[in-house]
């Protein structure tokens, strides 16, 4: 089979790779219906995370189970399944506590920009949909594999409650789906930070009531101005830079919460500033597996349509163009069809 391999900065190739096979009895092999490029794939693509050897790419996936190992009991061939970018046994103490992305037996699923994928710990990692979905539903189901689950976790970690004022820092796919999540959880005001017209439009479609275009200290001043000097009850940080993190903490009211899901790159917090801010911080790699049953239900019943973040669809062999379009911010998120 052929899949995506990153060789170095801005050098993604579509080339021959060995076809995955069952290795452990707890594995499943999936034929992917769709996969995609993630905002976090852009860190190594841009050379910010160095690449030392050719690296297969991709960690968001959904598709039909082809084969399972002989210890797999819950997942069956023919089912349409979605899984997270971290595998989980779903039985260890961390999984039981709802933190499957810290599973004691987790493995990163990193070869999904391909037609066929091996998923370890299939019973604990994968969740099947009620039936094989229609083609039109596949983008929204694919979004659950990472970006929707991550936006949802940002809102959960920020403790969004009905009636809240919520700020979302970041207008990538995760930030936009953070808006959708806050709306679904009953937020009354949702202030999206974005200076990009097409992203502002989608943010409004997903439930944003206000847009702030400023950045850094100016953005914090605008939030204070728009909340009578108080700040937001909940802030979703969906970028991972020093500026975005400080913007998030500065936008929260005393006693407010920041849910941070942007992978931090060079973020350093000042203990004294944090102390006097009275802000709750909670975040990390989203335990997507915890939310999959609920989110599949919401998509299946037409309550949410997170697949709208895919504004570019390409055949898998044009994966390099998907990276380019996202790198140049011509596309929010690129869906790839094997
Ligand atoms: Zn991702
Ligand atoms: Zn576990």
């Amino acid at each position: 089979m052929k899949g995506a391999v990153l060789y170095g900065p801005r050098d993604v190739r579509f080339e021959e790779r060995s076809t995955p096979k069952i290795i452990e009895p707890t594995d499943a092999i999936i034929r992917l219906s769709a996969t995609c490029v993630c905002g976090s794939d852009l860190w190594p693509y841009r050379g910010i995370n160095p690449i030392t050897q050719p690296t297969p790419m991709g960690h968001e996936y959904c598709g039909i189970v082809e084969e399972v190992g002989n210890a797999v009991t819950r997942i069956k061939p023919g089912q349409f399944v979605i899984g997270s970018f971290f595998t989980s046994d779903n039985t260890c103490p961390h999984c039981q506590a709802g933190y499957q992305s810290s599973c004691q037996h987790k493995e990163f699923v990193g070869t999904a920009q391909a037609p066929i994928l091996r998923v370890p710990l299939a019973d604990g990692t994968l969740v099947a949909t009620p039936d094989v979905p229609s083609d039109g539903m596949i983008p929204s189901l694919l979004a659950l594999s990472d970006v929707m689950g991550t936006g949802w976790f940002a809102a959960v970690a920020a403790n969004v409650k009905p009636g809240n004022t919520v700020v979302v820092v970041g207008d990538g796919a995760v930030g936009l789906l953070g808006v959708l999540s806050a709306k679904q959880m009953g937020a009354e005001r949702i202030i999206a930070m974005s200076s990009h017209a097409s992203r502002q439009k989608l943010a409004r479609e997903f439930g944003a009531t206000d847009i702030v275009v400023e950045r850094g200290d100016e953005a914090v001043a605008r939030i204070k101005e728009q909340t009578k000097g108080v700040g937001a009850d909940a802030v979703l940080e969906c970028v991972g830079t020093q500026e975005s993190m400080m913007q998030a903490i500065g936008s929260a009211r005393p006693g407010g919460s920041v849910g941070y899901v942007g992978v931090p790159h060079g973020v350093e917090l000042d203990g004294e500033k944090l102390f006097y801010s009275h802000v709750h911080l909670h975040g990390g790699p989203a335990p997507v597996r915890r939310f999959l049953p609920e989110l599949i239900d919401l998509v299946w019943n037409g309550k949410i349509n997170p697949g709208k973040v895919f504004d570019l669809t390409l055949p898998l062999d044009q994966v390099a163009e998907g990276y380019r379009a996202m790198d140049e911010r011509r596309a929010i998120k690129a869906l790839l069809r094997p």
Side-chain angles (χ1 to χ4, degrees), residues 167 191 193 212 218-227 231-232 251:
V167 166
I191 307 172
M193 291 182 165
V212 163
E218 280 174 38
V220 171
R222 290 286 292 158
I223 296 297
K224 288 287 162 66
E225 203 179 289
Q226 292 189 11
T227 55
S251 298

Side-chain angles (χ1 to χ4, degrees), residues 6-85:
L6 182 64
Y7 274 76
R10 294 185 168 80
D11 183 8
V12 174
R13 302 181 201 173
F14 185 67
E15 63 176 27
E16 201 58 38
R17 280 165 38 185
S18 58
T19 304
K21 290 185 176 56
I22 300 279
I23 298 173
E24 299 291 334
T26 46
D27 289 350
I29 300 295
I30 303 173
R31 181 166 293 276
L32 299 188
S33 304
T35 177
C36 52
V37 182
C38 184
S40 68
D41 293 334
L42 297 181
W43 294 107
Y45 181 77
R46 289 170 173 160
I48 297 167
N49 293 354
I51 289 291
T52 49
Q53 57 182 26
T55 306
M57 296 293 288
H59 59 263
E60 305 179 35
Y61 58 94
C62 62
I64 303 280
V65 179
E66 282 214 322
E67 194 188 346
V68 297
N70 55 28
V72 175
T73 57
R74 219 176 45 82
I75 295 299
K76 309 233 181 306
Q79 284 180 325
F80 185 94
V81 293
I82 306 162
S84 158
F85 45 89

Side-chain angles (χ1 to χ4, degrees), residues 64 78-80 129-134 138 141 300:
I64 303 280
Q79 284 180 325
F80 185 94
T129 53
D131 210 334
V132 173
S134 67
I138 285 177
L141 293 171
W300 203 262

Side-chain angles (χ1 to χ4, degrees), residues 91-290:
T91 55
C92 78
H94 303 329
C95 285
Q96 292 286 298
Y99 288 84
Q100 288 90 340
S101 42
S102 273
C103 175
Q104 289 173 337
H105 303 107
K106 73 172 179 195
E107 278 179 53
F108 186 65
V109 180
T111 61
Q113 287 161 4
I116 298 169
L117 179 68
R118 168 183 166 254
V119 180
L121 300 175
D123 272 340
T125 302
L126 299 170
V127 179
T129 53
D131 210 334
V132 173
S134 67
D135 221 40
M137 203 184 273
I138 285 177
S140 283
L141 293 171
L142 174 64
L144 305 186
S145 178
D146 180 1
V147 277
M148 181 64 212
T150 298
W152 191 263
F153 176 57
V156 168
N159 199 27
V160 173
K161 294 277 179 281
N164 274 178
T165 294
V166 176
V167 166
V168 180
V169 182
D171 64 359
V174 171
L176 292 166
L177 293 172
V179 170
L180 175 69
S181 301
K183 174 74 180 172
Q184 189 68 26
M185 293 175 195
E188 191 176 297
R189 257 186 102 185
I190 303 171
I191 307 172
M193 291 182 165
S194 173
S195 56
H196 199 282
S198 63
R199 292 164 193 245
Q200 291 172 355
K201 185 166 167 280
L202 191 50
R204 286 200 186 274
E205 228 177 285
F206 282 155
T209 54
D210 304 80
I211 304 285
V212 163
V213 298
E214 289 85 353
R215 294 175 67 154
D217 291 343
E218 280 174 38
V220 171
R222 290 286 292 158
I223 296 297
K224 288 287 162 66
E225 203 179 289
Q226 292 189 11
T227 55
K228 300 196 173 87
V230 175
D233 303 301
V235 184
L236 283 54
E237 194 287 315
C238 309
V239 184
T241 62
Q242 181 72 23
E243 182 182 55
S244 64
M245 195 66 177
M246 295 320 294
Q247 222 167 289
I249 293 169
S251 298
R253 63 186 292 163
S257 297
V258 171
Y260 64 106
V261 297
V263 181
H265 282 74
V267 176
E268 285 183 15
L269 300 180
D270 176 330
E272 197 180 341
K273 267 191 197 156
L274 201 54
F275 183 76
Y276 285 105
S277 72
H278 262 147
V279 166
H280 302 258
L281 286 183
H282 182 34
V288 169
R289 174 64 183 82
R290 189 206 314 177

